[in-house]
Amino acid sequence: MQKKSISIIGGGIGGLATAVLMAKDGHDVSVYEKNECLGGRASIFSEKGYTFDMGPSRYLMPDLFEKFFNEIGENIHDHLDLAQLSPSYKVFYPEDNTLKNINVYADIDRMADQFEQMEAGSGQKFRDFLKTSGEQYGIGMEFALRNYDSLMDFLRRDVAIKGMKLNIITTIDKYVARFFKTPIIQKIMQYTTVFLGTAPSQTPAFYNIMSHVDFAMGVRYPQGGLHAIATALVKIGKKYGVHYYTDSEVVTVNNEQGIVKNMILKDGTTITSDLFIVNADQARFETEMLPLELQTYTKKFWNKKTFAPSGFIIYAGIDKKLDALEHHNLYFNDNRDESFGAIYDHHVLADDPSIYICAPGKTDPNVAPVGKENLFILVPITNGIDISEEEKLSYRDKIRKIVEEMTGENLIDHIEYERIFEIQDFKDRYNAWKGTALGLGHTMMQTASFRPNNYSKKLSNLFYVGHNTNPGIGVPMVIVSAMLVKERIEEKVK
Ligand SMILES: Cc1cc2nc3c(=O)[nH]c(=O)nc-3n(C[C@H](O)[C@H](O)[C@H](O)COP(=O)(O)OP(=O)(O)OC[C@H]3O[C@@H](n4cnc5c(N)ncnc54)[C@H](O)[C@@H]3O)c2cc1C
């Protein structure tokens, strides 16, 4: 392929990783980001001495990060100072009218022993479960690390034979129930579906591969937070001459004779280039920036899709240490049917929500002032609804109470800083379809060849990267998405 000028719309991890790959090959690459900060969902902000990762906080699938850094000829450890967390996370759960807890480790023997004490026979079952997850992870990655053109790709004999080895018929909740009877063990083994933006009852069982990620690989933390990944990508991109423009929202795209001719920024600047790669929300870009006849996927298509939940996030600065918390903490509610029903069926705020709390100060001394705690509190909630100011505050109060129960501490009098981020903020800040936090969920019909393609079928110089296309949701996945769009461009552009 001859050297091209390339405009990337959106400076999320997907856009930043693509910029590095294309610039390293000698192309002239510019990234245009709507917000003040590069990183997209993996942005960062600081207030009153606290530094908050705005979105992702769990560094998972280290093999995929290494694959990417190898591909660009860099040693990942020159860029990221990674700490392995132990425990990986702490789970709080109500049982017999008390709040119990269990630490989860990336140590199969240790977890097997813990589970055995809770349910006779479950230790060996856990080992069996993990053996299958490990085997299927390898096959699953073969499916993830490739582009698809059509359903026929998926049905090719060699692919289909491998696919048969994965559990594609049943769902993860039923699959887990075959192994474990104890509710809390079931919840822990199904919890990884939160990374996929779907309910366990909608998630194909082959995503048990996430248990391999959880219990065999574990959770790492890059010092400085997950935003350090964005910082590293920008540093490498600059080495190859990438130009980065923040506060540069693309508002119009002009097309002519089957190609995107140029795009217009909010300040009126016209940008012309050979290729355009969209990291911005694919659903909103296609339906709002392109005329109907040039949309590969129309509103009708997106409206039928299952989007991941949104999030009700509280960024809180607490003026004391909270000893009961680990770096990552989960509160599993008693009645998960109610909370999943609220998210996926009834589209209301759950009465008894499950909660995730990240306290990165447990590992990183630089994210909170000495003796204080930085909390990222996340409740998955339905997407697509409006939350009134009154509802927002009463939901915040409900969440605060649960956090007080988890920590056994009074919080209200110790909150030095607090910011709430919810559905409307996802829409406003990231142009997210229906305010989804994560993009298209990983149901069976939204996996592999069933996901939207990473190229336009109507405009020959328009491509997509990020969580709505292949392979899917999560920082490691969108980094793979960058490698896939590069392959796609090499295949399509001469
Ligand atoms: C609360 C939360 C927790 C998460 N936790 C984890 C986790 O622990 N581990 C993990 O691996 N993943 C996690 N994820 C998922 C992960 O953050 C995302 O999958 C990933 O960061 C998405 O990257 P992306 O490049 O596809 O999209 P984005 O990060 O959304 O980037 C797209 C960019 O496009 C910009 N944009 C939109 N419209 C325009 C426009 N018109 N012009 C210019 N720019 C535009 C947006 O501002 C944004 O910066 C989490 C996400 C959230 C929200």
Side-chain angles (χ1 to χ4, degrees):
M1 183 173 55
Q2 289 170 359
K3 299 306 168 206
K4 305 283 181 194
S5 57
I6 300 177
S7 291
I8 299 183
I9 304 173
I13 297 290
L16 298 179
T18 309
V20 170
L21 289 167
M22 300 313 290
K24 185 170 185 295
D25 273 5
H27 302 291
D28 178 14
V29 182
S30 298
V31 175
Y32 298 89
E33 165 56 44
K34 162 184 183 297
N35 292 319
E36 76 297 341
C37 168
L38 293 165
R41 258 76 164 181
S43 289
I44 202 168
F45 75 94
S46 296
E47 280 292 340
K48 296 198 170 170
Y50 298 91
T51 299
F52 297 96
D53 260 328
M54 291 192 74
S57 53
R58 285 148 303 183
Y59 183 102
L60 302 168
M61 303 175 126
D63 52 333
L64 297 182
F65 286 101
E66 288 199 11
K67 185 176 170 54
F68 175 82
F69 275 80
N70 288 343
E71 174 132 349
I72 58 172
E74 301 279 339
N75 180 344
I76 194 166
H77 301 290
D78 291 340
H79 297 280
L80 297 176
D81 180 6
L82 294 169
Q84 174 94 32
L85 301 184
S86 183
S88 299
Y89 49 93
K90 181 171 182 177
V91 172
F92 296 78
Y93 60 102
E95 194 178 83
D96 302 332
N97 294 321
T98 56
L99 193 63
K100 297 190 172 168
N101 64 71
I102 172 174
N103 281 338
V104 173
Y105 297 90
D107 178 336
I108 294 173
D109 290 336
R110 189 168 183 173
M111 289 312 298
D113 288 348
Q114 286 206 94
F115 285 169
E116 184 64 32
Q117 282 166 28
M118 299 162 86
E119 177 184 320
S122 66
Q124 185 52 46
K125 286 183 183 159
F126 176 73
R127 290 176 205 281
D128 295 343
F129 191 102
L130 262 290
K131 186 167 176 286
T132 307
S133 299
E135 288 162 5
Q136 297 201 344
Y137 182 79
I139 303 171
M141 285 308 104
E142 283 184 44
F143 279 85
L145 297 172
R146 51 165 298 177
N147 277 315
Y148 293 90
D149 286 308
S150 71
L151 181 59
M152 293 316 289
D153 272 1
F154 202 56
L155 299 178
R156 260 183 27 217
R157 196 164 173 276
D158 55 329
V159 180
I161 288 171
K162 283 188 179 156
M164 305 269 269
K165 293 191 182 140
L166 298 171
N167 292 289
I168 51 174
I169 306 297
T170 189
T171 51
I172 194 89
D173 55 340
K174 295 196 178 107
Y175 181 73
V176 166
R178 281 189 213 155
F179 288 79
F180 310 103
K181 299 286 165 264
T182 307
I184 186 57
I185 301 181
Q186 290 186 349
K187 285 178 187 172
I188 291 171
M189 300 306 291
Q190 293 169 10
Y191 140 75
T192 48
T193 62
V194 300
F195 304 131
L196 305 165
T198 49
S201 61
Q202 291 180 314
T203 310
F206 66 75
Y207 281 117
N208 74 71
I209 60 174
M210 294 307 292
S211 290
H212 175 71
V213 172
D214 213 14
F215 297 104
M217 295 177 161
V219 188
R220 287 163 181 71
Y221 175 80
Q223 292 298 325
L226 272 271
H227 181 71
I229 300 165
T231 307
L233 293 174
V234 172
K235 187 175 165 207
I236 300 166
K238 283 186 176 161
K239 189 166 94 181
Y240 293 112
V242 177
H243 309 282
Y244 297 94
Y245 302 94
T246 49
D247 293 311
S248 297
E249 182 168 9
V250 175
V251 290
T252 310
V253 165
N254 294 309
N255 316 290
E256 199 176 79
Q257 296 174 340
I259 60 165
V260 176
K261 192 175 140 215
N262 59 39
M263 63 186 197
I264 318 273
L265 304 184
K266 203 170 185 177
D267 68 3
T269 313
T270 301
I271 310 289
T272 308
S273 56
D274 298 322
L275 305 180
F276 294 82
I277 305 174
V278 178
N279 176 225
D281 189 294
Q282 189 168 358
R284 289 200 58 185
F285 182 88
E286 283 255 328
T287 56
E288 292 173 17
M289 298 269 193
L290 302 178
L292 187 61
E293 67 278 11
L294 293 181
Q295 295 171 13
T296 304
Y297 303 104
T298 62
K299 212 166 199 163
K300 200 168 155 201
F301 170 91
W302 296 107
N303 276 335
K304 281 196 220 146
K305 295 289 156 193
T306 304
F307 276 84
S310 188
F312 191 99
I313 301 171
I314 303 174
Y315 306 100
I318 309 293
D319 72 2
K320 62 176 177 178
K321 282 282 178 199
L322 299 170
D323 293 335
L325 296 181
E326 295 290 344
H327 186 123
H328 296 296
N329 309 272
L330 295 161
Y331 164 79
F332 288 153
N333 60 7
D334 229 355
N335 184 354
R336 289 219 301 171
D337 288 346
E338 189 268 328
S339 57
F340 282 125
I343 294 173
Y344 294 103
D345 303 325
H346 311 302
H347 305 291
V348 292
L349 298 177
D351 273 342
D352 181 17
S354 282
I355 295 181
Y356 161 71
I357 303 176
C358 182
K362 302 288 178 197
T363 314
D364 189 338
N366 299 319
V367 294
V370 177
K372 302 187 177 184
E373 206 78 86
N374 162 330
L375 298 187
F376 167 95
I377 305 168
L378 168 67
V379 175
I381 58 170
T382 181
N383 61 45
I385 60 166
D386 292 325
I387 303 177
S388 69
E389 206 52 34
E390 202 184 335
E391 281 175 306
K392 204 194 277 192
L393 295 182
S394 77
Y395 212 55
R396 176 204 64 182
D397 292 346
K398 187 190 286 271
I399 294 165
R400 279 179 175 178
K401 282 210 180 83
I402 299 174
V403 180
E404 286 192 331
E405 209 191 326
M406 289 167 76
T407 56
E409 307 248 9
N410 165 297
L411 279 193
I412 316 285
D413 303 332
H414 295 274
I415 300 172
E416 276 196 332
Y417 173 77
E418 190 177 59
R419 173 178 173 189
I420 297 173
F421 193 97
E422 43 88 16
I423 304 172
Q424 191 58 45
D425 299 294
F426 278 101
K427 288 186 195 167
D428 294 343
R429 184 170 170 85
Y430 305 119
N431 285 343
W433 179 267
K434 294 187 177 172
T436 173
L438 303 172
L440 268 188
H442 283 261
T443 61
M444 182 64 216
M445 295 311 286
Q446 295 178 182
T447 290
S449 62
F450 299 110
R451 263 182 121 71
N453 280 125
N454 54 7
Y455 65 99
S456 164
K457 293 183 180 159
K458 309 285 175 82
L459 295 159
S460 62
N461 63 346
L462 179 61
F463 297 86
Y464 293 95
V465 65
H467 57 212
N468 281 340
T469 183
N470 285 110
I473 290 175
V475 176
M477 288 290 120
V478 301
I479 282 186
V480 170
S481 168
M483 296 193 272
L484 294 181
V485 79
K486 175 177 180 269
E487 271 176 31
R488 184 66 89 186
I489 291 168
E490 285 165 354
E491 165 203 320
K492 298 259 173 210
V493 180
K494 295 297 158 230

